[in-house]
Amino acid sequence: MNLAQAPLSAVLRVARVRVIAGQEAQARQLEEIGFLPGEPVCVMARGLWGGDPLAVRVGLSTFALRREEAACIELEAPDA
């Protein structure tokens, strides 16, 4: 499952950040703001029209991400 598919309020963990070839800068940016393997993450809200953007909490920080960005963040169960 990726972050764009995560249910609201479910606390999961970042497994890895995955992007298509040629967009490594996007992965680096997501990692720089805290989307690192093992970090707890939670989708707090989705935009009304089309579900964009997502309000996402990672660690102790909250960010707005587009669904395209959130889809790059693969998740795992918190006890995995």
Side-chain angles (χ1 to χ4, degrees):
M1 169 180 9
N2 65 50
L3 189 55
Q5 300 166 328
L8 288 177
S9 303
V11 178
L12 301 163
R13 291 206 184 278
V14 175
R16 70 182 183 127
V17 177
R18 177 188 47 82
V19 293
I20 59 173
Q23 295 187 358
E24 291 81 10
Q26 182 180 13
R28 189 170 44 255
Q29 179 186 19
L30 290 168
E31 290 169 346
E32 286 175 356
I33 62 173
F35 292 93
L36 298 168
E39 282 294 314
V41 64
C42 175
V43 176
M44 299 172 61
R46 288 188 168 83
L48 293 178
W49 292 279
D52 234 356
L54 286 78
V56 178
R57 177 163 285 249
V58 59
L60 300 176
S61 301
T62 304
F63 298 97
L65 295 180
R66 295 180 302 233
R67 282 187 308 172
E68 175 184 306
E69 295 167 322
C72 296
I73 301 166
E74 294 183 0
L75 305 175
E76 61 189 12
D79 55 358

